[in-house]
Amino acid sequence: MTSAFDVSSTIVFGTELRILLNSEHISYGEVHATLKEKGIFVGNSEKSTTVPLLSATLLTPSNFSRLIDSSVNRDSQPKIKVSALPLVSASVNWIEPLKDHLFTNLEDVLGGNGEFSSSPEVVVKGPTTVSIPYTIRRQDFSKDWIQRELYFNGEIVVERQGTSLNLDFVSTHSSKETEAINRRITSRISQVLHQANIVAKPEPNRITFGSFSNEERVRFFKRLTAGWGKALSTGNVLDIEVSLDVNGPPLPVDPEIAWMKQSVRRLTIDGERLNDIFLMANENYYKHYHIQRMDVTFPFVDGTNKGESRISFSFSSAGRMGVEAELTFECVRLSFDKAVNADAKKAAASGVQHAIRSLIDAKHTEMLGERAAVLPPVTTP
């Protein structure tokens, strides 16, 4: 193995820089931000536009260091997916089969994504909850030519709440590798329990990009600003990212939207202008575009502590984005009205996460109910 890459004293340019910028480790937003640092401002943030521009420049060690640190920090930030699996009965013991049969082959679970520095195991938290934590080390340096040895955590919590017949999965990942591993583990959990006749399905119910039509997806995201009980007040949208559905219905002959066909693949809409933007204000346009991401700030209350949380909702997949990309949320920032200790911060973060999970479940159930109400009744011969 070659010696470690010295970020602090190397100027990167040309072909090597272009390869790195086009890799999955660097986001389009990070490339766009680095261009701005160098005084280059472009309206289109697509990599097809920005990478050639940045590759034609020289990145100073400080430019390069900030770009890499931003990428690593983004990867390391915990991101959460939720799914559910229906039990066949309230009396079944679903924990014992997981303890006995879940991890018979760790290589299958790993799937070539680095190596485990802390292997996953079933940790029983109580009669209705288990957690499965683990840590991986990224060691395939061909994918990360800066030669850093990086560690990423993952965890899956499976719990049954109250009298519900659902097992709720909360999957937390901090990199593409742990995102892929979580997907394999949740599938493996479902298969083990299905083979034991404990659950009704061999795969959990996931909220995916393909779960919605274009119109439903926009309405669903807008409803995620509603807040939840006393824990989360109504949210304020910071920005929304949309893209034209190139496989959707033909654009109307209307100057308000026809220009999108030639001009925009990805558009970020400022939250303050949300109600003034025709794409969001006019439901007739919903079918023509995909909503990709939405950042919202929610005022929160946790016991005697108050503050504001910034939550980013998006669809994410360990592979190429497609209909199977799952709804993901991330607490980008948590701020408090007054100084609090570490335990209070942890409790507030947990409370916000639980409220967001409840909000997602309620609005998804609401959407499914509306869809069922407009479907024609099924008749039998």
Side-chain angles (χ1 to χ4, degrees):
M1 187 179 70
T2 61
S3 59
F5 191 90
D6 188 354
V7 173
S8 64
S9 62
T10 303
I11 294 178
V12 187
F13 63 96
T15 301
E16 287 187 332
L17 178 58
R18 186 166 61 251
I19 291 170
L20 174 66
L21 297 178
N22 276 317
S23 76
E24 65 178 17
H25 295 304
I26 307 296
S27 74
Y28 74 91
E30 287 155 357
V31 178
H32 197 240
T34 305
L35 276 173
K36 287 183 178 180
E37 282 184 22
K38 301 185 74 65
I40 303 172
F41 298 89
V42 293
N44 187 347
S45 61
E46 290 292 330
K47 283 192 174 184
S48 58
T49 298
T50 59
V51 167
L53 288 173
L54 192 54
S55 299
T57 70
L58 293 177
L59 283 193
T60 66
S62 61
N63 290 146
F64 185 64
S65 181
R66 282 194 294 272
L67 178 66
I68 295 302
D69 287 343
S70 176
S71 172
V72 172
N73 290 339
R74 172 176 50 83
D75 253 6
S76 300
Q77 184 75 17
K79 305 159 191 71
I80 298 170
K81 299 180 180 184
V82 293
S83 53
L85 192 62
L87 293 165
V88 297
S89 166
S91 61
V92 293
N93 182 344
W94 56 271
I95 293 179
E96 287 302 317
L98 298 185
K99 291 167 59 180
D100 295 338
H101 304 297
L102 185 57
F103 296 120
T104 56
N105 189 337
L106 284 179
E107 287 302 315
D108 287 347
V109 173
L110 193 59
N113 295 112
E115 67 176 23
F116 288 120
S117 64
S118 174
S119 298
E121 61 177 333
V122 177
V123 180
V124 179
K125 297 289 188 177
T128 60
T129 306
V130 302
S131 71
I132 304 167
Y134 64 91
T135 303
I136 67 158
R137 179 170 60 244
R138 180 186 289 166
Q139 62 175 166
D140 184 355
F141 295 114
S142 66
K143 296 181 180 178
D144 183 12
W145 60 270
I146 60 173
Q147 304 288 324
R148 287 187 177 184
E149 188 171 68
L150 300 175
Y151 292 81
F152 297 102
N153 298 319
E155 183 180 31
I156 296 168
V157 174
V158 187
E159 60 183 343
R160 181 184 171 209
Q161 299 190 47
T163 58
S164 171
L165 277 181
N166 272 343
L167 289 181
D168 294 326
F169 295 2
V170 182
S171 302
T172 304
H173 68 272
S174 56
S175 68
K176 288 296 184 183
E177 291 91 342
T178 54
E179 184 175 15
I181 290 169
N182 279 0
R183 177 83 178 214
R184 295 189 194 99
I185 292 176
T186 54
S187 291
R188 178 62 181 158
I189 290 171
S190 306
Q191 292 160 9
V192 167
L193 296 182
H194 187 253
Q195 290 168 3
N197 297 317
I198 289 173
V199 298
K201 301 176 61 177
E203 285 289 336
N205 297 321
R206 311 179 197 270
I207 303 177
T208 64
F209 188 87
S211 299
F212 307 93
S213 66
N214 286 353
E215 296 98 319
E216 289 174 333
R217 198 178 300 111
V218 178
R219 294 191 193 104
F220 175 66
F221 265 56
K222 291 178 75 172
R223 290 174 186 179
L224 291 179
T225 65
W228 186 255
K230 296 180 179 179
L232 288 183
S233 299
T234 302
N236 177 50
V237 177
L238 292 177
D239 58 58
I240 287 182
E241 185 179 288
V242 301
S243 62
L244 180 67
D245 182 1
V246 295
N247 297 315
L251 290 171
V253 183
D254 183 337
E256 279 196 317
I257 193 171
W259 58 271
M260 286 188 69
K261 186 173 184 179
Q262 300 298 329
S263 303
V264 175
R265 289 183 60 194
R266 182 183 282 116
L267 174 67
T268 300
I269 302 173
D270 189 295
E272 292 184 357
R273 301 180 56 212
L274 196 60
N275 292 326
D276 301 324
I277 299 294
F278 60 90
L279 288 175
M280 305 302 295
N282 189 338
E283 291 200 6
N284 291 327
Y285 295 134
Y286 287 3
K287 61 180 173 287
H288 297 292
Y289 63 90
H290 296 154
I291 186 165
Q292 305 280 7
R293 177 188 56 80
M294 178 176 71
D295 282 14
V296 185
T297 56
F298 293 97
F300 71 85
V301 176
D302 184 70
T304 59
N305 295 313
K306 299 180 180 180
E308 186 177 78
S309 60
R310 176 174 176 172
I311 306 296
S312 183
F313 299 96
S314 63
F315 290 96
S316 179
S317 170
R320 293 188 63 182
M321 282 291 292
V323 295
E324 291 302 311
E326 293 180 64
L327 180 68
T328 305
F329 72 90
E330 172 185 351
C331 184
V332 178
R333 187 183 65 248
L334 202 65
S335 58
F336 294 82
D337 292 348
K338 60 182 181 181
V340 297
N341 60 32
D343 288 341
K345 289 180 181 179
K346 185 176 180 180
S350 177
V352 168
Q353 182 200 117
H354 192 274
I356 294 294
R357 288 167 47 198
S358 299
L359 173 64
I360 289 171
D361 181 62
K363 298 307 176 184
H364 184 237
T365 300
E366 180 181 318
M367 185 69 69
L368 293 178
E370 291 174 354
R371 182 188 297 170
V374 299
L375 292 175
V378 178
T379 56
T380 56

